[in-house]
Amino acid sequence: MSDFTSNFWSVYVTAISLVGIFACLLLLWFSGKAKAMTANDNTTGHVWDGDLREMNNPLPRWWVWLFIITVVFSLAYLAMYPGLGSYAGKFGWSQVGQYEAEVAKGNKEVEPLYAKFNSMKPEDVAGDAQAMAIGERLFMNNCSQCHGSDAHGSKGFPNLTDKDWLHGGTPDKIVETLTKGRIGNMPPMAAAVGSSDDVRNVANYVLSLSGSPHDSVKAALGKSKFGACAACHGADGKGNQAIGSPNLTDDIWLHGWGENAIVAMINNGKVNQMPAQEHKLTESQIHVLASYVWSLSNKPGAVALK
């Protein structure tokens, strides 16, 4: 209910719930007070199939009390637990709170397992078989949905097994990315580049930077217009890891390859988001996971370059 900016739905849900409960009580009361016209044999006069008659017997006492107990239980439940709109209940229980408590309990139970890795350098953790088995499980549960079970990624999701890093591939940078997440924003640049022909010329120039097939005439015309892109990608097109701008010279295309794909990127821009994991994983888990991710593009025992 906290998602709504108005309390209308809170009041609406509360009213519907309480009206429904008290309506059941009224129905029970009226059914006990109402007197049906009966014949001498205590039937209502309704007959089915020639010999099946409806008797005018009162509701069984056990059924009536069970009905009343159910109503009382529902009122007690709504008083103790959330169910009446935004009212949290006397116990203050919530599914989010229960989830967080269970996660905290689980993290505490596995804390000794991660303790021995906390003092180890990521390069050493990457060489530990037990740590890598744990890191693989963490990756499968939290990262593979986007990057794939083999970490090769897909369109829009980076390949973590190569040396191409938008924000840097050192263990510290990977920890930073996992902890805080990333938001990549390529603004629409068509207006800054010029006409539609200029956009296609720049697209061909970008293709030429990586030695990809391109129109050399259009590429030559697009070189001067590339200045609008150089602020982020650099005059040489090699990108800038400080702001996450891709290297355009390495023939690795995150959002699609070819003239049309680049034209679409220039015209429409792109926003990509890597969600932060700091509220989902502990520091120890992020340390092991970052070491695992680093190991995917580095041999165990390698020294991370600062």
Side-chain angles (χ1 to χ4, degrees), residues 68-214:
I68 293 173
I69 290 171
T70 302
V71 170
V72 172
F73 172 82
S74 66
L75 292 173
Y77 178 91
L78 292 174
M80 300 301 175
Y81 293 95
L84 296 177
S86 58
Y87 175 66
K90 290 292 185 181
F91 290 161
W93 178 91
S94 71
Q95 59 183 7
V96 173
Q98 181 174 339
Y99 166 77
E100 291 177 346
E102 291 178 358
V103 170
K105 180 182 177 182
N107 287 338
K108 186 175 182 180
E109 290 176 353
V110 300
E111 187 176 348
L113 183 63
Y114 289 93
K116 72 174 185 177
F117 304 124
N118 291 338
S119 59
M120 296 172 60
K121 294 181 179 180
E123 300 85 352
D124 296 330
V125 176
D128 187 289
Q130 183 185 24
M132 290 299 93
I134 296 172
E136 182 183 19
R137 287 297 92 199
L138 288 171
F139 183 87
M140 290 297 181
N141 290 335
N142 299 281
C143 312
S144 63
Q145 294 84 352
C146 293
H147 295 282
S149 58
D150 59 359
H152 280 77
S154 62
K155 185 176 180 180
F157 303 101
N159 181 354
L160 302 179
T161 65
D162 57 20
K163 293 289 187 178
D164 186 65
W165 296 92
L166 292 175
H167 297 274
T170 64
D172 288 343
K173 280 295 181 181
I174 297 174
V175 167
E176 181 182 303
T177 298
L178 288 171
T179 303
K180 299 297 182 181
R182 301 286 185 185
I183 297 180
N185 186 3
M186 156 75 180
M189 296 295 295
V193 170
S195 66
S196 59
D197 288 337
D198 291 330
V199 169
R200 290 207 167 269
N201 292 340
V202 168
N204 277 274
Y205 176 71
V206 170
L207 288 170
S208 73
L209 294 175
S210 59
S212 300
H214 63 279

Side-chain angles (χ1 to χ4, degrees), residues 215-276:
D215 186 313
S216 58
V217 175
K218 290 183 178 180
L221 293 173
K223 183 176 182 179
S224 62
K225 295 292 184 177
F226 184 76
C229 313
C232 293
H233 294 282
D236 57 1
K238 291 188 176 181
N240 184 352
Q241 290 186 348
I243 59 175
S245 59
N247 181 353
L248 303 178
T249 68
D250 58 8
D251 201 25
I252 295 176
W253 306 94
L254 181 59
H255 298 286
W257 172 87
E259 180 180 335
N260 290 334
I262 298 174
V263 167
M265 183 70 71
I266 296 173
N267 286 331
N268 305 321
K270 179 70 69 173
V271 176
N272 252 25
Q273 182 172 2
M274 153 75 187

